[in-house]
């Protein structure tokens, strides 16, 4: 497999990164998670330009000056897919700080900002058979909010918080953690947003303490023509206990039903009909070239070349 690193495609085993890279020590990097889907003759990189815009916002939030434009990064993504002959794929751009100063404010040192784009086949984000639903635990982690607004950025270091919450969730037998915000409301899962369904109505927490997920936004867009209004509200754990359906959304996990919250069954414990409809609508959207104007379509000849 090859990774694009600062303008070059390099075999993964030859991608050498210094052990003194600033990001390795302090988590000072920003990244994106993107999926590409095979659709007949084409490969659709779903909402790629939205992901690249968010990467730029994350970089800005960290005070990074991007070395590559969104168009250059789009070309890098296409090159990585083509050179690895990938169709259904997960794509990971990462901007990280190289070696030089190891003081936290590296900007005064001579560190370089490095940019890479890797891709691989990653079928399922969760270990368990998530089609039949996963279990989540609350009370195992908090969503940290930073004064500088960094919680709206995909910053490498902030994922340690989600990692610790996932470990705590697994220790109590759940698949995933739900993070609670400073006001005691549900924020999101560790790498996904959350929706609940009650009496036919869809509800999701605001983005006050959650990442503004691109999949969350996709679901809101898809739900309306299906006749569902989505409200954005504060949700507490008790709301989830009384929900008919709960599901998570994220690029990596897509749409995942949640059938247990803190050991209690959601509804009758089976995947609900609205979750199923939205899952199907999501699969249609990611496989259709023109579902979103920010999709990038790669033709089969370039992949095969
Ligand atoms: N919240 C967090 C913390 C995430 O890391 C992700 C994954 N990017 C999401 C939500 C879902 O975002 P998206 O739908 O854009 O992948």
């Amino acid at each position: 497999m090859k990774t694009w690193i600062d303008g070059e495609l390099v075999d993964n085993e030859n991608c050498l990164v210094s052990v003194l890279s600033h990001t390795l020590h302090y988590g000072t990097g920003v990244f994106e998670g993107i999926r590409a889907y095979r659709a007949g003759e084409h490969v659709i990189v779903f909402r790629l330009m939205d992901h690249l815009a968010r990467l730029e916002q994350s970089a800005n939030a960290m005070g990074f000056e991007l070395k590559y434009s969104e168009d250059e990064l789009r070309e890098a993504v296409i090159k990585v897919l083509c050179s690895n002959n990938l169709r259904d794929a997960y794509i990971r751009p990462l901007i990280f700080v190289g070696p030089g100063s190891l003081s936290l404010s590296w900007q005064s040192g001579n560190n370089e900002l490095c940019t890479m784009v890797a891709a691989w086949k990653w079928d399922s984000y969760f270990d368990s058979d998530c089609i039949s639903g996963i279990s989540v635990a609350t009370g195992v982690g908090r969503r940290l909010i930073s004064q500088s607004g960094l919680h709206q950025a995909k910053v490498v270091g902030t994922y340690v918080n989600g990692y610790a919450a996932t470990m705590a969730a697994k220790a109590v037998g759940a698949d995933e953690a739900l993070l609670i915000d400073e006001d005691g409301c549900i924020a999101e899962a560790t790498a996904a947003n959350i929706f609940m369904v009650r009496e036919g109505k869809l509800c999701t927490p605001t983005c006050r303490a959650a990442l503004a997920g691109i999949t969350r936004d996709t679901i809101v867009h898809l739900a309306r023509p299906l006749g569902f209004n989505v409200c954005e509200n504060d949700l507490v754990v008790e709301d989830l206990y009384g929900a008919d359906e709960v599901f998570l959304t994220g690029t990596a996990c897509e749409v995942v039903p949640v059938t247990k919250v803190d050991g209690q069954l959601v509804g009758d414990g089976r995947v609900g009909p609205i979750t199923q409809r939205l899952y199907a609508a999501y699969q249609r959207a990611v496989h259709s070239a023109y579902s979103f104007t920010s999709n990038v379509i790669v033709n089969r000849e370039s992949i095969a070349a």
Side-chain angles (χ1 to χ4, degrees):
M1 298 291 281
K2 288 180 195 294
T3 290
W4 182 96
I5 180 153
D6 284 318
E8 275 181 61
L9 281 167
V10 182
D11 288 328
N12 281 357
E13 54 274 26
N14 296 330
C15 287
L16 300 178
V17 173
S18 166
V19 291
L20 292 178
S21 294
H22 197 272
T23 302
L24 188 61
H25 293 256
Y26 304 125
T28 46
V30 295
F31 69 100
E32 264 306 315
I34 307 163
R35 272 194 188 276
Y37 295 86
R38 173 209 292 256
E41 295 296 292
H42 303 298
V43 170
I44 298 161
V45 190
F46 188 62
R47 300 192 66 171
L48 173 60
M49 300 319 287
D50 293 327
H51 282 281
L52 293 179
R54 189 170 65 186
L55 182 66
E56 191 171 349
Q57 284 162 19
S58 298
N60 289 339
M62 287 289 281
F64 293 174
E65 252 176 58
L66 279 192
K67 287 202 307 202
Y68 300 96
S69 67
E70 284 178 15
D71 285 344
E72 286 169 316
L73 291 173
R74 179 194 60 208
E75 288 309 305
V77 167
I78 294 173
K79 273 191 189 145
V80 169
L81 289 175
C82 295
S83 65
N84 291 302
N85 204 15
L86 283 165
R87 291 168 172 85
D88 288 302
Y90 182 82
I91 302 154
R92 168 57 56 86
L94 168 70
I95 300 173
F96 62 97
V97 185
S101 166
L102 272 179
S103 68
L104 278 175
S105 56
W106 62 274
Q107 274 87 348
S108 50
N110 56 356
N111 310 53
E112 266 188 44
L113 210 51
C114 309
T115 306
M116 55 140 266
V117 181
W120 62 92
K121 209 165 152 32
W122 191 8
D123 292 334
S124 177
Y125 178 79
F126 289 105
D127 300 339
S128 65
D129 173 16
C130 53
I131 293 173
S132 56
I134 63 160
S135 57
V136 296
T138 66
V140 288
R142 293 207 156 250
R143 180 63 157 109
L144 305 177
I145 306 293
S146 70
Q147 277 183 333
S148 46
L150 276 186
H151 59 281
Q152 276 305 336
K154 281 182 71 75
V155 176
V156 175
T158 61
Y159 282 79
V160 171
N161 181 52
Y163 172 79
T166 312
M167 300 278 283
K170 290 205 190 279
V172 296
D175 298 308
E176 167 66 329
L178 293 185
L179 303 176
I180 307 298
D181 73 14
E182 287 166 345
D183 302 317
C185 298
I186 306 282
E188 57 178 349
T190 59
N193 294 107
I194 183 163
F195 284 80
M196 68 164 237
V197 181
R198 182 86 200 262
E199 290 166 359
K201 292 196 186 98
L202 274 160
C203 204
T204 187
T206 67
C207 290
R208 192 182 62 225
L211 186 78
I214 291 169
T215 320
R216 175 186 183 275
D217 178 69
T218 303
I219 290 297
V220 171
H221 272 84
L222 297 176
R224 291 208 177 110
L226 292 175
F228 303 113
N229 262 326
V230 185
C231 69
E232 288 187 55
N233 254 342
D234 285 344
L235 295 179
V236 292
V237 174
E238 287 69 27
D239 292 319
L240 295 185
Y241 294 161
D244 300 323
E245 303 180 31
V246 175
F247 60 90
L248 303 183
T249 63
T251 299
C253 70
E254 302 180 313
V255 176
V256 172
V258 173
T259 46
K260 252 189 203 175
V261 178
D262 294 334
Q264 300 190 32
L265 292 185
V266 176
D268 63 6
R270 284 181 298 189
V271 179
I274 296 178
T275 306
Q276 282 176 11
R277 280 181 74 186
L278 290 168
Y279 174 85
Y282 186 72
Q283 288 303 321
R284 277 196 300 277
V286 295
H287 288 94
S288 48
Y290 302 106
S291 53
F292 283 83
T293 50
S294 55
N295 292 349
V296 168
I297 301 145
V298 186
N299 64 39
R300 211 167 76 152
E301 292 74 56
S302 22
I303 294 274

